[in-house]
Amino acid sequence: MKQNIKNIQRQARELLLKVFYTFDQKNEPLEDILKEYTNLKEINPEAVNYAKEIILFFNEKKEVIDEMIKFHLQKWRFERLGYIEKALLRIAISDFLKLKEEGKEENFMIKRIIFDTLDLVECYTGSKKSVKFVNGILGRVVRELFKGYEDSLYIRSTQ
């Protein structure tokens, strides 16, 4: 049975978390790390293709993406970010910028990225503080990138 795009993107984001986490640890090319993970475990080819698109996009815009994160950190240094938080912020912002570049600025797509990201933060850190922290940064980034975005409706509550 063919999976829907929402599940494929979620699988890709979880795979990307592992790849970006390893990237920060080993500083090897993202493509090589992705290849290692896909050799170890059979992963949906559509999820792998989506992951490759995000990696390619990130590689082209790494400085811009990291500067966006730095700009939106409040009372925090980029170097102090946890590996998981940094990886997921890089992935989400890559996704946002890619959507904007492609002219696909639909609220539901932005919402899906936010929900997946926050769910992965919670799943992999087990910390409500990390979820709240990442949520705040994503909220600021989204309001900057997508001027008409109704954040009060879509930014996930972390109470």
Side-chain angles (χ1 to χ4, degrees):
M1 185 171 116
K2 188 171 170 113
Q3 290 185 325
N4 68 31
I5 189 72
K6 182 174 85 171
N7 291 334
I8 290 167
Q9 289 175 342
R10 167 56 192 228
Q11 282 180 342
R13 288 184 184 108
E14 190 161 8
L15 173 61
L16 284 164
L17 168 59
K18 295 170 185 175
V19 170
F20 277 69
Y21 181 91
T22 304
F23 170 75
D24 270 343
Q25 300 262 327
K26 294 183 173 182
N27 201 23
E28 295 175 359
L30 289 164
E31 297 85 353
D32 294 348
I33 299 167
L34 177 64
K35 198 176 294 184
E36 283 179 39
Y37 277 105
T38 56
N39 286 338
L40 293 173
K41 184 178 176 187
E42 188 172 322
I43 300 168
N44 180 318
E46 291 177 84
V48 174
N49 287 339
Y50 190 82
K52 286 178 181 177
E53 287 177 25
I54 296 299
I55 287 171
L56 181 65
F57 191 88
F58 175 78
N59 283 338
E60 292 173 4
K61 310 265 189 207
K62 180 183 185 308
E63 290 78 23
V64 171
I65 292 164
D66 284 353
E67 283 305 313
M68 284 188 88
I69 295 170
K70 290 173 189 175
F71 180 78
H72 290 287
L73 288 173
Q74 293 182 343
K75 301 177 186 174
W76 204 262
R77 288 190 339 262
F78 185 75
E79 299 76 28
R80 291 190 62 214
L81 281 174
Y83 291 123
I84 292 171
E85 292 84 353
K86 186 188 298 181
L88 288 167
L89 285 168
R90 284 173 160 173
I91 294 161
I93 293 171
S94 295
D95 254 333
F96 292 146
L97 289 172
K98 190 170 179 302
L99 279 181
K100 188 165 182 74
E101 206 171 87
E102 294 172 350
K104 298 178 181 175
E105 300 178 25
E106 291 91 356
N107 280 348
F108 76 92
M109 295 173 95
I110 298 166
K111 177 184 172 184
R112 180 83 264 139
I113 294 166
I114 293 168
F115 281 169
D116 282 353
T117 301
L118 297 179
D119 188 49
L120 288 167
V121 170
E122 189 169 15
C123 181
Y124 283 89
T125 67
S127 167
K128 296 282 186 199
K129 285 183 178 181
S130 287
V131 173
K132 194 172 184 175
F133 177 76
V134 170
N135 190 46
I137 295 168
L138 292 180
R140 289 188 289 278
V141 168
V142 165
R143 284 188 290 278
E144 175 189 331
L145 290 175
F146 308 103
K147 301 298 184 209
Y149 186 75
E150 294 294 328
D151 66 324
S152 61
L153 299 174
Y154 297 107
I155 300 293
R156 179 174 159 177
S157 171
T158 56
Q159 270 45 306

